Amino acid sequence: MNLFIKNLAKNPLVRFMASLKITVICLALLFILTLWGTIDQVGNGLYAAQEKFFFSFYFLGFGFIPFPGARLVLWVFFFNLLAVTVTRFIHYKLKSIGIIIIHLGLLSYFFAAFVTFHATKETYLQLLEGAGSNLSSYYRDWEVSIWKGEDNPRNVTSVDAKLLKPGFSLQLNDFGLEFHVTQFLTNSDAYLEQPQEGTEYLNASGIKSLKKISPNIEPEKNMAGGTFLLKDKKGELKNLLLFGGEVRPTGLSINDEIVYFQLRKKRHELPLTLKLVDFRMKKYPGTDMAKSYESLVEIDANGLKRQVLIYMNHPLRYKDYTFYQASYAIDKLSREYSTLAVVKNPGKFLPYFACFLTFAGLVIHFMSSSFQKKK
Amino acid sequence: MRNYFIYFFITLVFLISCDRPQLVSQYREVIIEPDIDAPFLDGQDPHAFMKTKADMKQLAKDNPQMQALLDQSTAKVSLRWVVPEGWVEEAGSGMRQATFRSSNPNEKDLEVSIISLSGAAGGIEANIIRWLGQINIPAPAKEDLQQFLDAQEEMLTTSKLKIKLLDLTYFQKNEASDVPSAIGAILETADKVVFVKMTGSKQTVQKSLNKFKILCQSLAL
């Protein structure tokens, strides 16, 4: 193992990656990206700025200058730190053990960030008092949900909106159906008016046409819409129109069965069913401002039911999931809705581990340094 | 140099292979419905999002399943009415049977609508609270609401049906004359509810009250 690490340390690419110049360049780029992204989000919104500056490998600055995104910079930074750990600390000595642990701690931060970025799912669950579900919704992503009949629970086939580009086709064998996308709009308005010489679409709400509008600065406010061509086993064609604002699904007779279609926020299946038993809110005296609010929920996990109170700083934790009390709504009939933020983070303990490792490395390093000086 | 390219290529493949979500998937959906029945709430009105002017007759062209879904929300009543003098009728759209505006240029903000819905449509109290919310008046206490209802006039239409007038300016006694206001009327039958609503500034709706009463009394089924 030691020989392998020694050979690795001699590798020209590893030696190149261990350069301090790369560290400095990466730190400088991260500074620029943070500053640029912060300024950009004022005009273009937080989500767009995150996507452009921090979640991308590269982007075009001012529309034409290629610039590395934070994702690429952090990857390079990670390899730089890894190479430094391999080349600089190859001759392990007891006196440098603290520094080595600190570097391993820093690498653990990168690993924690990687797991969090790729594995964390942030969704929400809005429930009316008395209602329950085993699905949470993504904030910005959409899907076409397809199911048969009126069963409850029902099996739903989901087609992610990322696939919904004009010309995309999908064979849905469970429904005996070919699903073709003819149009998909990220943000749209729905109209009952039939455009002249336009295709006549089937839609449960009577929508006849969609109009493209500019994406909202806050993507969660976008209202997606799309038109689709369906072909059943008999070769019969149906033109379907779906709009994200519809409450009801569109039910169509396909191969002598009723198949429902709905364009809605992408769903995430939870390992439990959660029912809102009661939502309670206290207001500041003499105002409409909420002082505190809490949700009494009944969770059903594999048939085991129990009631849990979720309130500020007291989320419900279940497996990798955390349910936070996020918001509430009261409709005109004074009915109360509770909104729970649902976060799935399989690596939620990794940052603590990285923090502990770095702290331990610092303690060991300072203790061994002071011990050596006394000697 | 060649090795550099190989390493670079391997790293690139590794990076690109990350983050591949499943784009067609299946899941099981459990639905627990609340134990209440109020089909027409803000945000749940099946037509609330539409920016449209449409003829409901066009919908009949659609397939029977779709029509059945629409029938659940839109009562097909053959309402008739008399347009008060000085008001202009516009074509209905969606659940709206008709819209009226004033021909008087000083009453440009005046809008009157007739909407018919099947079922209980949430009840009178719920709709009053909804309308009050639309003109920025907080929901009153139950006792105040009852007091308001008791003070409201009930009229008979030409079809001898009772129609309850709901003058929301009742809650705006101390407000300025230019605040948004509304006067409504609700006609309930065994299987449908007809809402007549006049919106505009407080001054305009108060001035137009008599015409509004004429319209309400002229309703015939």
Side-chain angles (χ1 to χ4, degrees):
Chain A
M1 187 65 184
N2 204 21
L3 186 68
F4 171 74
I5 293 174
K6 277 182 181 173
N7 286 336
L8 196 64
K10 287 177 191 168
N11 184 294
L13 182 66
V14 175
R15 290 172 72 84
F16 169 75
M17 280 306 296
S19 166
L20 189 63
K21 286 177 186 167
I22 293 178
T23 313
V24 174
I25 290 169
C26 285
L27 287 170
L29 285 171
L30 286 175
F31 171 75
I32 294 167
L33 285 167
T34 308
L35 188 68
W36 198 351
T38 307
I39 295 166
D40 187 83
Q41 63 95 23
V42 177
N44 295 322
L46 183 64
Y47 180 73
Q50 278 180 332
E51 286 287 321
K52 182 178 175 181
F53 293 93
F54 304 115
F55 298 164
S56 64
F57 282 101
Y58 74 94
F59 63 93
L60 296 176
F62 307 107
F64 65 98
I65 306 168
F67 204 86
R71 199 167 173 181
L72 177 62
V73 175
L74 284 170
W75 269 111
V76 174
F77 201 8
F78 171 76
F79 285 117
N80 172 248
L81 198 62
L82 197 64
V84 168
T85 310
V86 169
T87 55
R88 303 276 164 86
F89 304 107
I90 190 68
H91 304 295
Y92 295 110
K93 288 175 186 169
L94 195 61
K95 67 174 183 180
S96 60
I97 189 75
I99 298 286
I100 292 167
I101 293 173
I102 292 169
H103 277 77
L104 289 175
L106 293 174
L107 283 169
S108 304
Y109 276 117
F110 278 95
F111 181 66
F114 177 84
V115 172
T116 303
F117 180 77
H118 287 282
T120 297
K121 287 185 166 61
E122 290 185 9
T123 54
Y124 71 95
L125 182 60
Q126 188 175 55
L127 293 172
L128 175 66
E129 273 185 344
S133 178
N134 68 327
L135 302 175
S136 56
S137 304
Y138 285 82
Y139 290 94
R140 305 172 193 97
D141 302 329
W142 294 84
E143 68 174 25
V144 172
S145 309
I146 308 165
W147 67 91
K148 282 183 204 172
E150 305 286 344
D151 295 343
N152 186 14
R154 61 193 178 204
N155 292 316
V156 179
T157 297
S158 154
V159 183
D160 195 299
K162 290 187 180 83
L163 291 173
L164 303 179
K165 294 182 172 66
F168 171 78
S169 295
L170 185 66
Q171 185 71 41
L172 295 166
N173 293 327
D174 290 352
F175 303 94
L177 185 69
E178 276 178 40
F179 179 86
H180 303 270
V181 182
T182 48
Q183 183 190 31
F184 186 75
L185 305 171
T186 311
N187 197 18
S188 58
D189 276 340
Y191 288 83
L192 270 177
E193 287 140 345
Q194 176 74 46
Q196 284 184 347
E197 297 173 18
T199 311
E200 285 204 20
Y201 292 105
L202 299 170
N203 176 272
S205 309
I207 301 170
K208 297 289 183 190
S209 60
L210 296 169
K211 187 181 168 190
K212 186 180 179 178
I213 53 174
S214 303
N216 198 297
I217 194 166
E218 296 171 59
E220 54 272 24
K221 290 185 180 170
N222 284 341
M223 202 57 82
T227 55
F228 311 91
L229 181 66
L230 309 174
K231 187 178 176 186
D232 65 13
K233 281 179 185 170
K234 298 168 200 161
E236 195 179 324
L237 297 173
K238 286 185 169 72
N239 285 298
L240 171 69
L241 185 151
L242 299 174
F243 178 62
E246 289 178 87
V247 176
R248 294 193 177 109
T250 295
L252 301 175
S253 175
I254 289 171
N255 302 322
D256 303 323
E257 283 185 299
I258 303 293
V259 179
Y260 290 94
F261 298 83
Q262 191 170 22
L263 181 63
R264 60 185 188 179
K265 288 278 173 74
K266 193 181 171 186
R267 299 297 201 256
H268 175 77
E269 193 172 7
L270 303 169
L272 48 77
T273 302
L274 199 141
K275 180 183 172 184
L276 179 65
V277 178
D278 190 20
F279 176 77
R280 302 163 195 157
M281 181 172 62
K282 286 179 188 164
K283 292 179 181 176
Y284 285 102
T287 72
D288 272 340
M289 282 173 66
K291 185 181 177 187
S292 65
Y293 42 94
E294 58 190 30
S295 298
L296 179 66
V297 298
E298 183 182 86
I299 62 169
D300 180 350
N302 302 319
L304 292 172
K305 288 185 181 179
R306 66 185 167 106
Q307 290 199 340
V308 183
L309 190 63
I310 302 173
Y311 56 103
M312 194 71 79
N313 296 327
H314 285 81
L316 160 67
R317 295 183 198 278
Y318 184 82
K319 293 186 176 174
D320 290 338
Y321 291 84
T322 311
F323 297 80
Y324 300 93
Q325 179 68 62
S327 183
Y328 70 95
I330 299 174
D331 68 21
K332 303 293 182 190
L333 296 182
S334 303
R335 302 196 314 173
E336 292 169 331
Y337 296 77
S338 179
T339 307
L340 303 173
V342 185
V343 180
K344 185 193 179 189
N345 184 3
K348 62 185 171 190
F349 295 113
L350 289 173
Y352 299 110
F353 172 73
C355 189
F356 172 76
L357 209 58
T358 311
F359 176 73
L362 284 165
V363 170
I364 291 167
H365 178 66
F366 287 125
M367 282 178 71
S368 63
S369 300
S370 61
F371 180 71
Q372 281 162 22
K373 276 177 191 170
K374 279 181 186 171
K375 271 174 78 178
Chain B
M1 194 63 185
R2 202 174 148 188
N3 281 346
Y4 281 85
F5 280 114
I6 292 167
Y7 289 131
F8 177 74
F9 180 73
I10 291 168
T11 310
L12 198 67
V13 169
F14 173 68
L15 294 180
I16 289 169
S17 62
C18 297
D19 201 14
R20 290 265 163 203
Q22 203 178 355
L23 296 175
V24 179
S25 58
Q26 287 193 324
Y27 55 78
R28 189 172 145 272
E29 181 170 16
V30 179
I31 302 157
I32 302 172
E33 299 280 3
D35 303 326
I36 48 171
D37 182 26
F40 300 107
L41 302 169
D42 281 3
Q44 292 199 330
D45 175 353
H47 301 140
F49 53 84
M50 293 184 193
K51 301 182 174 190
T52 182
K53 287 179 181 176
D55 179 2
M56 290 298 288
K57 286 176 189 168
Q58 285 185 8
L59 301 174
K61 291 179 189 171
D62 298 321
N63 75 13
Q65 294 155 14
M66 189 162 66
Q67 190 61 62
L69 287 168
L70 285 164
D71 288 346
Q72 289 172 26
S73 65
T74 309
K76 302 286 181 291
V77 289
S78 52
L79 267 178
R80 300 184 304 279
W81 52 80
V82 174
V83 184
E85 202 180 320
W87 284 7
V88 179
E89 184 178 339
E90 293 178 1
S93 61
M95 288 181 292
R96 281 195 180 201
Q97 301 283 315
T99 301
F100 307 90
R101 293 185 197 282
S102 173
S103 55
N104 183 344
N106 298 326
E107 294 175 350
K108 275 186 179 172
D109 57 334
L110 188 87
E111 185 181 303
V112 183
S113 59
I114 298 177
I115 293 171
S116 71
L117 298 173
S118 58
I124 287 187
E125 289 87 351
N127 281 291
I128 292 169
I129 293 169
R130 187 164 62 86
W131 286 350
L132 286 171
Q134 288 167 359
I135 54 172
N136 307 319
I137 297 174
K142 269 188 181 175
E143 305 78 53
D144 295 341
L145 191 60
Q146 193 53 53
Q147 210 175 353
F148 164 73
L149 279 169
D150 293 343
Q152 297 308 298
E153 185 183 344
E154 199 164 62
M155 301 177 293
L156 278 179
T157 68
T158 48
S159 305
K160 306 291 177 204
L161 293 166
K162 285 179 184 173
I163 185 162
K164 181 98 174 167
L165 197 72
L166 302 164
D167 185 351
L168 303 187
T169 60
Y170 175 94
F171 296 98
Q172 297 176 309
K173 283 170 188 159
N174 301 320
E175 302 278 340
S177 60
D178 59 348
V179 293
S181 190
I183 295 176
I186 298 181
L187 185 156
E188 286 182 299
T189 67
D191 60 343
K192 59 185 75 79
V193 184
V194 179
F195 298 95
V196 189
K197 192 171 77 164
M198 172 167 68
T199 56
S201 68
K202 184 182 157 190
Q203 188 183 21
T204 309
V205 296
Q206 281 177 330
K207 272 170 71 179
S208 309
L209 181 59
N210 282 337
K211 287 181 184 173
F212 183 74
K213 282 183 180 177
I214 291 168
L215 176 71
C216 292
Q217 286 168 329
S218 74
L219 286 174
L221 288 173

